[in-house]
Amino acid sequence: MRPHDGTRIPRRTATRALLGLGVAAGLAAGSLAGATAGAAADASPGAAADGQGPKPAAPGTGASAVPLPLPLLQNNLGLTTAEAKKVQVWLAAHWQYTGPVDGVLGTSSWAAFQRCLRANWNYSGPINGVLDTATLRSLHRMLQANWGLTGPFDGVVGPKLQAAFKRFANGI
């Protein structure tokens, strides 16, 4: 690369400048995508009123079809709004859920679920409402023991886990 005055820019400097621009563009795109998803969640009927959703997944958190921790728009794990409301009613009756029964399993819903998982399914993580790998592993144990989930824990929120979670929601 040569500037207009005819002097030469060292290759390393040019490479760093291009990498810097690429990283800045990537971060801006990610920020815009996150803002768009957040705005969509806020604008949708039944959007969670119990706080922000889980934080974005850290790289290399597993071979999941959906990265963990799960973002707010995906934390119903395949449940319909009516099914999620059933879960919230159950959580309110048994696990100190005090949030709205709105059919969106947000951080308050998952915090109550973590209390259930801690008491019964060897969950040892924080009660923070984040649907992370530890929460999902304990949920997997519960669904495997009582709701027909088969196979070892693989960190994937796939059709088998979603079907078992639906059986749970419709069976409580």
Side-chain angles (χ1 to χ4, degrees), residues 15-145:
T15 302
R16 285 183 186 164
L18 288 174
L19 282 174
L21 288 173
V23 169
L27 289 173
S31 297
L32 289 174
T36 303
D42 292 341
S44 66
D50 60 350
Q52 299 292 325
K55 295 180 178 90
T61 56
S64 52
V66 177
L68 295 174
L70 294 174
L72 181 61
L73 295 176
Q74 298 172 334
N75 67 1
N76 277 11
L77 298 183
L79 297 184
T80 65
T81 300
E83 290 166 335
K85 284 181 179 181
K86 290 179 189 179
V87 171
Q88 288 174 318
V89 168
W90 178 79
L91 290 169
H94 301 286
W95 298 105
Q96 303 165 358
Y97 175 66
T98 58
V101 178
D102 59 2
V104 177
L105 300 180
T107 53
S108 294
S109 300
W110 283 110
F113 219 114
Q114 287 169 330
R115 285 190 280 279
C116 167
L117 296 171
R118 176 171 283 168
N120 299 297
W121 301 104
N122 299 324
Y123 175 71
S124 59
I127 305 297
N128 60 6
V130 175
L131 184 53
D132 57 10
T133 302
T135 306
L136 192 60
R137 184 181 306 276
S138 294
L139 178 64
H140 185 276
R141 282 187 200 109
M142 182 191 91
L143 296 174
Q144 195 170 39

